[in-house]
Amino acid sequence: MYYKDDGSIDYKDLANELANMLHGYPYGEPPETLGMIAGELRTAPGSRHGRAMLVAAYASRWYAKWQITDVSVFDDLIDAATRAEEFYGTAVCPAPGEHEHPEIDAADPEGAAEIMALIGDPEGSAADSFRDAEHLDLDAMNCPGYLRELAAETVRDLTQARRERFEVPPADAELDERYLTEDGRADLDALLSDIERQKYSSIDPAAEKAAVWASRRLLGDARPEERAPLALAVAHLAQHCYWGSAAPSVAALYNEALRTFDLAALDRPCPHTDGHSVQIRDTPRHARALAFPPEDADDNGERCPRRVAAYVQEMIDYTAQYMSRA
């Protein structure tokens, strides 16, 4: 894929895949595609192919931020873009005002693929399909000052994205003050009040901080009676790894914390043959029922250990798809 029989790049194939990937519907494997782009750019940043791959790397940087969970893909792209930035050094536009540098718009994947193909193979079949785009100037596309800016922005944005997405959030001493009682117990009422802020698809920062704190509590000093409410608190945020775009490092922390939960109840049958009164995703209400059990008997299965364990296992499997991979 992406290479012809003679070993040269098939820009028509690559342009189609780049546009599809940036739209969010790749045919191939994005880590493989981005790895290929990084490899070609790293090998010869000043060549025609290298210049085309720089455009592809620049156009892909936001896709990588939100969709790639393998940190090595980031490292390869950053290293390749850094080499390009070093190659162009302090280059400036030799014809300021005489040509217009093309804009690579995140909302126009086809436009980015077009620029890449025209730079990489201006006489090839991929470029033929763009011949009506007379507004694009090959000299402006290949301008060293323009390419230097693309390289610098690619390094800057991917480096920042790597830090945001793959570094585990630091422990927050202020949260210890908020979520721990004087005798060292978890203040589940305060914790769940913050967890309850997570109501929509986008992640609430305070709720995420609470879930990160709960994860660390599960991995550290959680008392037996705290573990089920804490696990459901974490699971409530873990549901948003995809639509809420939780950072891969945070998804990995959730996964690690949930794996400490005792799943032995899965080996025992559920006695609630009439079903359960609430949906398991009614967290943190469910967590509150576990943290503050009512005086009446649990006759509706709301605190059923097997049901809680099954949901925790579901969230372990779910977060595994989105966690950081070295």
Side-chain angles (χ1 to χ4, degrees):
M1 192 174 185
Y2 316 134
Y3 290 99
K4 300 177 182 178
D5 292 341
D6 61 2
S8 62
I9 297 174
D10 186 334
Y11 275 97
K12 185 173 184 178
D13 197 8
L14 181 58
N16 287 333
E17 181 59 15
L18 178 64
N20 289 330
M21 182 182 75
L22 297 183
H23 273 299
Y25 299 99
Y27 287 108
E29 295 295 329
E32 178 183 327
T33 301
L34 293 172
M36 174 267 188
I37 290 169
E40 291 287 343
L41 174 56
R42 183 189 303 109
T43 300
S47 70
R48 175 164 51 86
H49 295 305
R51 296 193 295 274
M53 294 303 102
L54 176 56
V55 168
Y58 177 86
S60 302
R61 68 199 194 287
W62 300 127
Y63 177 88
K65 175 176 180 177
W66 296 114
Q67 298 296 330
I68 298 300
T69 60
D70 187 341
V71 70
S72 67
V73 175
F74 274 75
D75 290 339
D76 287 345
L77 286 169
I78 292 170
D79 178 64
T82 298
R83 294 196 182 197
E85 185 179 21
E86 293 170 348
F87 174 83
Y88 288 107
T90 58
V92 296
C93 178
E98 296 181 18
H99 58 217
E100 184 177 352
H101 299 146
E103 181 180 355
I104 301 174
D105 189 342
D108 182 18
E110 283 80 12
E114 176 182 38
I115 294 169
M116 178 200 69
L118 285 170
I119 292 176
D121 191 9
E123 303 301 325
S125 59
D128 287 340
S129 62
F130 302 136
R131 288 306 181 192
D132 59 339
E134 297 178 356
H135 62 285
L136 293 174
D137 182 341
L138 278 176
D139 288 338
M141 292 182 197
N142 287 281
C143 171
Y146 169 65
L147 295 169
R148 177 189 59 78
E149 292 177 0
L150 293 188
E153 289 186 37
T154 302
V155 172
R156 181 198 65 199
D157 293 339
L158 285 176
T159 299
Q160 181 175 339
R162 187 192 191 284
R163 182 168 57 251
E164 293 175 359
R165 306 288 284 170
F166 294 96
E167 293 182 8
V168 178
D172 191 333
E174 292 184 2
L175 294 185
D176 287 342
E177 295 179 8
R178 176 167 174 77
Y179 300 143
L180 286 178
T181 63
E182 291 183 0
D183 62 355
R185 297 177 182 273
D187 186 338
L188 294 172
D189 182 50
L191 176 76
L192 294 173
S193 292
D194 286 344
I195 291 291
E196 286 168 337
R197 294 168 60 104
Q198 183 60 52
K199 298 178 180 179
Y200 307 106
S201 59
S202 59
I203 292 175
D204 182 279
E208 183 176 69
K209 286 184 178 180
V212 167
W213 187 93
S215 296
R216 291 197 168 103
R217 181 75 173 174
L218 284 170
L219 290 165
D221 301 326
R223 303 189 182 195
E225 67 274 15
E226 301 171 1
R227 299 194 65 80
L230 288 172
L232 288 185
V234 172
H236 185 61
L237 268 293
Q239 297 174 40
H240 298 273
C241 284
Y242 181 69
W243 291 113
S245 299
S249 60
V250 173
L253 180 63
Y254 292 160
N255 184 275
E256 183 183 7
L258 292 174
R259 284 180 180 278
T260 69
F261 190 75
D262 185 0
L263 299 175
L266 292 175
D267 298 326
R268 300 189 294 270
C270 174
H272 307 102
T273 55
D274 293 333
H276 303 97
S277 64
V278 295
Q279 294 296 316
I280 192 66
R281 284 182 174 80
D282 287 349
T283 53
R285 171 188 168 182
H286 203 106
R288 285 192 179 278
L290 295 168
F292 311 108
E295 294 181 0
D296 58 324
D298 178 24
D299 59 355
N300 57 17
E302 190 166 353
R303 302 191 304 279
C304 174
R306 191 179 191 280
R307 189 158 174 259
V308 173
Y311 184 57
V312 170
Q313 180 63 69
E314 181 184 339
M315 287 297 101
I316 289 172
D317 296 339
Y318 176 72
T319 52
Q321 305 172 67
Y322 303 105
M323 57 193 286
S324 173
R325 288 175 173 81

